């Protein structure tokens, strides 16, 4: 909140509410942001302004500002704002006159306020007072008391006048908010052990007063607010043994309470071992099996540290995939809810301008994929991550790997922009291969923890393989899905395949067989990717066919089976793929289709995970029955796909990638064509030489043969002569 004084608050509020209450007709305005004149903009005719649309205008407004000089005043570009010093107003009026338009209304509003939604702003201020006073406002009078307290320095008469002039609208909004039900209190029923449901021994439960359930937002006064909040939280004594385990790790009671609400009742080994050193301020490298709660192992201590000493961009989390970034952000949001945490997700495929804007608002946590964050760092200086306290590399080994997506250059940019004095946390299920590289990032005597287990995959996972000829793989896949569908009522399968095209074809094929499937691969638009994942997570679609883009980190508890349509080339890839099931103590099954060419890969996998895969028995006659139909359907789907612009999209993506790398795609194509030409010429030349050489050799052989023949003939003649 950037209120310089309470006087401004009431003035702004009056104007904002005036603005909101007036039905929108044509309105005009200008604004000043960072000493630059923006606008004028027009509010679209007939648009009704409420606090929500108001925020939308704000967004458009900022987008416009970012486009700056290249602003074109389109009819539907809407927003109005004018805190305008006279020159801005004059500018606005002159511009309107030049267009033959008339100014109808100008509103005044502070230009640099990060949140222009007046109700939210006032609510934050009042909320602060409500919690400080330790009472929950439900009645009109108590809300009024909080409003008065919120603007303590202002003449109370003035506030009363102000509120009255609003015809009770403001009060009704605030009372509505204040009356929103608070989260339910934990009951003894909830403290039962989830697995066996045996009631725990009776304990005295002291239910904390409601005011402690929501922590005040982290704002300008965050430090005091958080301190008083933490004092309040001392009420909420942990009431079960399992909760004690979290307390022993050094976590605050409000965080434990949040864990409890998420069903996290006992720290997992990775949490038990990694949280204390992180809280001590040490760098940490955690290597634990898939689905063992690594995310919470870094989220919890970071939130605790943030609540103790909050400021600007506090933590940067890097992940290799976009979907994973959203998932991590969700964990931060849920666990950090009482803090009013501000997070920001910076991933490719999304609006870069909106992201830049969010970064300037100083979120507490930035969760990013390296490529897009590095792009922001290269192209703008409107934000800084020079003072972050925490750097987290989730799936750290993948980030350092030089696979199909190489993050090395982007990581260099990012690591160059963050402070050396920071805590670095590295997590993955497969850290050990890249340990040396990782140690160069976590230099502060890192604490290394690895789960001690002979087998690298979880015990609850049933791992199998089917040896199949390459050409009948699809028939086996269809048969497996069909069997699974017939045998289980509530089911969910993830199928991994090697290429985007195959992923697409398989999806089309399974849909032809009326299976509820959806695809996820990098050739899809980001919105489609999110939609596909959301539909799968919510069990609208029971089958997700994906490339390795979904192999790491995704936590979808409903997945019971993972099918590897191709054997992963690296054992690491296998570990992560099959780790999408049997998570957090649940059971699951992984079936890998192995062709005659992949047997060595299976041996490598078995060696790495230290476990022999079991053969999965399949009724071959049933597969043979559907073989022709499946192969024909697949071919049809391939033809259908060829008629679409799928390959074209691939080309476009390649071009985009080249442009991002600073290369000219046309020039590159030309260079490639030239190289190809040279290669062909060389090949031709080589073939020519070889041909000549061959001819020469043939001629020599022929000559030799002829000589030999002559010699033999002579010999025969001689013998004949001698016999005569
Ligand atoms: N202590 C806990 N008790 C029970 N469930 C937990 C606990 N900690 C985390 N979980 C849950 O376990 C699931 C898996 O957690 P998470 O995604 O953090 O695993 P991970 O180790 O990061 O897996 P991956 O290696 O695949 O990324 C989540 O749904 C999470 O809510």
């Amino acid at each position: 909140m950037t209120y310089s004084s309470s006087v401004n608050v009431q003035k702004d509020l009056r104007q904002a509410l005036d603005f909101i209450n007036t039905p929108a007709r044509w309105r005009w305005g200008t604004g000043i942001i960072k000493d630059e004149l923006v606008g004028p903009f027009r509010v679209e005719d007939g648009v009704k302004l409420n606090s929500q649309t108001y925020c939308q205008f704000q967004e458009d407004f900022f987008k416009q500002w970012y486009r700056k000089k290249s602003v074109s005043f389109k009819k539907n570009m809407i927003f109005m704002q004018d805190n305008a010093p006279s020159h801005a107003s004059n500018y606005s009026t002159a511009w309107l006159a030049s267009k033959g338009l008339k100014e109808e209304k100008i509103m005044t509003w502070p230009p640099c306020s990060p949140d222009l939604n007046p109700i939210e702003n006032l609510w934050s201020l009042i909320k602060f007072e409500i919690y400080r006073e330790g009472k929950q406002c439900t009645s009109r009078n108590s809300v009024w008391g909080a409003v008065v307290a919120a603007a303590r320095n202002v003449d109370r008469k003035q506030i009363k006048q102000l509120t009255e002039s609003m015809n009770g609208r403001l009060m009704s909004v605030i009372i509505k908010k204040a009356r929103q039900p608070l989260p339910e209190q934990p009951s003894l029923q909830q403290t039962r052990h989830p697995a066996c449901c045996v009631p725990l021994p009776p304990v005295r439960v002291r239910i904390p007063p409601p005011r402690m359930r929501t922590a005040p937002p982290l704002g300008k006064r965050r430090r005091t607010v958080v301190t008083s909040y933490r004092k309040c939280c001392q009420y909420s004594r942990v009431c079960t043994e399992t909760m004690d385990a979290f307390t022993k790790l050094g976590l605050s009671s409000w965080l434990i309470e949040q864990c409890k609400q998420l069903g996290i009742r006992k720290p997992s080994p990775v949490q038990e071992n990694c949280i204390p050193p992180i809280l001590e301020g040490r760098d940490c490298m955690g290597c634990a099996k898939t689905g063992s709660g690594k995310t919470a192992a870094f989220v919890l201590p970071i939130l605790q540290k943030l609540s103790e000493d909050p400021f600007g961009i506090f933590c940067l989390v890097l992940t290799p995939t976009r979907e994973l970034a959203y998932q991590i952000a969700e964990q931060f949001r849920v666990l950090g809810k009482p803090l009013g945490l501000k997070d920001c997700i910076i991933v490719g495929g999304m609006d870069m301008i909106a992201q830049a804007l969010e970064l300037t608002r100083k979120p507490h946590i930035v969760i990013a994929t390296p490529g897009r964050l590095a792009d922001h760092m290269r192209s703008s200086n409107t934000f800084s991550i020079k003072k972050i306290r925490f750097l987290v590399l989730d799936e750290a080994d993948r980030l350092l790997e030089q696979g199909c997506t190489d993050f090395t250059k982007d990581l260099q940019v990012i690591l160059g922009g963050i402070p050396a004095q920071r805590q670095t946390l590295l997590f993955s299920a497969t850290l050990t291969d890249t340990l040396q590289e990782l140690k160069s990032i976590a230099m502060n005597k890192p604490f290394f923890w690895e789960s001690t287990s002979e087998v690298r995959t979880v015990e609850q996972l049933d791992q199998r393989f089917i040896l199949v000829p390459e050409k009948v793989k699809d028939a086996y896949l269809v048969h497996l899905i069909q069997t699974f569908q017939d045998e289980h009522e509530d089911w969910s399968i993830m199928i991994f395949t090697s290429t985007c095209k195959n992923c697409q074809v398989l999806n089309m094929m399974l849909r032809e067989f009326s299976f509820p499937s959806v695809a996820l691969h990098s050739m899809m638009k980001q919105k489609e990717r999110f939609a596909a994942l959301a539909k799968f997570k919510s069990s609208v679609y029971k089958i997700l066919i994906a490339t390795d883009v979904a192999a790491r980190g995704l936590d979808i508890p409903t997945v019971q089976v993972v099918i590897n349509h191709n054997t992963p080339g690296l054992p690491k890839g296998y570990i992560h793929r099959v780790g999408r099931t049997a998570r957090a103590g649940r059971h699951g099954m992984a079936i890998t289709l192995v062709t005659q060419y992949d047997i060595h890969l299976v041996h490598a996998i078995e060696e790495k995970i230290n476990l022999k895969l079991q053969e999965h028995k399949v009724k071959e006659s049933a597969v043979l029955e559907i073989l022709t139909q499946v192969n024909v359907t697949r071919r049809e789907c391939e033809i259908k796909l060829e008629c679409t612009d799928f390959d074209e999209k691939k080309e476009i993506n390649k071009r985009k990638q080249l442009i991002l790398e600073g290369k000219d795609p046309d020039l590159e194509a030309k260079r490639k064509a030239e190289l190809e030409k040279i290669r062909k010429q060389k090949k031709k030349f080589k073939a020519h030489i070889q041909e000549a050489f061959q001819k020469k050799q043939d001629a020599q052989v022929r000559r030799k043969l002829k000589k030999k023949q002559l010699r033999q003939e002579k010999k025969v003649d001689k013998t004949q002569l001698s016999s005569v």
Side-chain angles (χ1 to χ4, degrees), residues 535-581:
K535 282 176 194 163
F536 180 64
K537 276 186 172 177
S538 57
S539 293
V540 174
Y541 289 89
K542 303 279 189 182
I543 304 168
L544 180 74
I545 308 159
T547 55
D548 276 329
V549 76
R552 281 182 181 249
L554 292 187
D555 181 47
I556 308 163
T558 50
V559 176
Q560 288 145 344
V561 178
V562 168
I563 299 177
N564 285 317
H565 186 259
N566 74 308
T567 314
L570 289 173
K572 243 189 203 191
Y574 174 85
I575 292 173
H576 287 282
R577 278 185 181 188
V578 299
R580 294 318 98 214
T581 183

Side-chain angles (χ1 to χ4, degrees), residues 635-695:
R635 189 66 204 125
E636 278 171 3
C637 293
E638 279 172 351
I639 293 167
K640 258 190 218 166
L641 191 67
E642 266 156 35
C643 297
T644 65
D645 57 354
F646 193 81
D647 286 325
E648 221 172 275
K649 268 191 207 161
K650 199 170 172 183
E651 279 310 306
I652 293 169
N653 282 356
K654 265 188 198 167
R655 278 178 76 88
K656 268 189 199 167
Q657 190 56 39
L658 283 172
I659 292 168
L660 283 175
E661 283 169 14
K663 294 173 189 164
D664 180 345
D666 293 329
L667 221 74
E668 283 297 310
K670 218 171 160 185
R671 206 172 60 87
K672 248 188 184 172
E674 266 168 29
L675 278 175
E676 185 65 17
K677 206 172 154 187
I678 294 170
R679 212 166 55 86
K680 268 186 189 166
Q681 274 175 353
K682 265 188 182 172
K683 209 173 161 186
K684 213 171 158 186
F685 183 66
K686 220 171 157 183
H688 188 71
I689 288 184
Q690 237 169 4
E691 203 182 327
F693 186 69
Q694 193 67 37
K695 268 184 191 169

Side-chain angles (χ1 to χ4, degrees), residues 264 266 268 271 290-295 395 553 555 580 583-584:
I264 300 177
K266 195 174 167 227
S268 65
Q271 292 159 2
T290 51
S292 58
K294 291 185 288 291
T295 317
E395 306 298 345
D555 181 47
R580 294 318 98 214
R583 297 174 71 74

Side-chain angles (χ1 to χ4, degrees), residues 210-242:
R211 64 194 167 94
M212 291 183 303
R213 304 305 304 268
T214 320
L218 298 171
K220 208 173 175 183
R221 309 173 192 186
R222 287 184 284 200
R223 213 168 285 225
T224 29
V225 173
V226 171
T227 319
S228 65
Y229 174 69
R230 277 171 40 226
K231 272 182 198 162
C232 289
C233 281
Q234 279 159 11
Y235 276 103
S236 93
R237 272 205 22 230
V238 183
C239 56
T240 65
E241 249 178 58
T242 49

Side-chain angles (χ1 to χ4, degrees), residues 355-617:
Q355 288 177 354
L357 180 63
E358 268 193 65
L359 281 170
T360 56
R361 286 182 189 149
K362 290 196 179 170
H364 303 114
I365 313 282
V366 175
I367 304 112
T369 47
R372 179 53 72 89
L373 183 66
D375 284 348
H376 276 285
M377 290 175 75
R378 287 186 196 107
S379 64
S380 105
N381 55 3
T382 51
F383 71 98
S384 162
I385 49 171
K386 280 196 184 114
K387 288 183 180 169
I388 59 158
R389 292 273 173 84
F390 282 92
L391 169 71
V392 182
L393 303 194
D394 193 25
E395 306 298 345
D397 56 325
R398 173 67 195 92
L399 288 171
L400 295 185
E401 221 172 58
Q402 288 166 357
C404 54
T405 323
D406 189 353
F407 297 112
T408 332
K409 278 185 192 161
D410 299 323
L411 279 179
Q412 274 170 1
V413 174
I414 295 166
L415 293 175
I418 57 175
Q421 273 284 343
R422 60 168 195 256
Q423 246 180 287
T424 311
L425 315 179
L426 312 169
F427 283 89
S428 176
T430 48
L431 268 188
T432 25
D433 297 348
T434 34
L435 218 53
Q436 285 316 314
E437 291 97 313
L438 292 169
K439 275 184 180 160
S440 64
I441 296 182
M443 288 180 294
N444 178 16
K445 286 186 203 151
F447 167 83
F448 178 70
W449 186 82
E450 189 179 10
S451 57
T452 47
S453 166
E454 275 184 21
V455 181
R456 299 285 296 271
T457 45
V458 291
E459 293 93 68
Q460 292 86 347
L461 181 65
D462 182 1
Q463 301 178 65
R464 302 183 183 193
F465 75 93
I466 308 175
L467 201 59
V468 288
E470 178 72 48
K471 285 189 178 158
V472 294
K473 244 183 184 184
D474 295 332
Y476 271 86
L477 179 71
V478 172
H479 173 72
L480 278 177
I481 298 172
Q482 187 63 57
T483 327
F484 201 74
Q485 188 177 352
D486 294 344
E487 288 173 3
H488 298 80
E489 268 184 20
D490 188 21
W491 58 287
S492 203
I493 303 179
M494 260 178 110
I495 300 167
F496 284 101
T497 184
S498 53
T499 63
C500 299
K501 197 168 179 178
N502 204 27
C503 186
Q504 194 72 17
V505 172
L506 280 181
N507 185 34
M508 289 165 76
M509 187 187 81
L510 291 184
R511 285 196 172 194
E512 288 292 320
F513 288 110
S514 303
F515 286 121
S517 70
V518 69
L520 176 63
H521 55 76
S522 58
M523 294 275 293
M524 287 161 69
K525 281 184 194 150
Q526 192 51 46
K527 277 187 184 161
E528 290 168 354
R529 278 168 66 166
F530 285 142
L533 195 60
K535 282 176 194 163
F536 180 64
K537 276 186 172 177
S538 57
S539 293
V540 174
Y541 289 89
K542 303 279 189 182
I543 304 168
L544 180 74
I545 308 159
T547 55
D548 276 329
V549 76
R552 281 182 181 249
L554 292 187
D555 181 47
I556 308 163
T558 50
V559 176
Q560 288 145 344
V561 178
V562 168
I563 299 177
N564 285 317
H565 186 259
N566 74 308
T567 314
L570 289 173
K572 243 189 203 191
Y574 174 85
I575 292 173
H576 287 282
R577 278 185 181 188
V578 299
R580 294 318 98 214
T581 183
R583 297 174 71 74
R586 292 182 202 89
H587 285 267
M589 185 193 274
I591 303 172
T592 305
L593 302 181
V594 183
T595 68
Q596 61 271 36
Y597 313 113
D598 307 326
I599 295 172
H600 65 289
L601 297 177
V602 176
H603 289 318
I605 289 167
E606 287 177 337
E607 200 179 316
K608 181 84 180 180
I609 63 171
N610 214 359
L611 187 88
K612 281 255 173 259
L613 307 190
Q614 298 300 310
E615 187 164 4
H616 185 74
K617 296 275 178 252

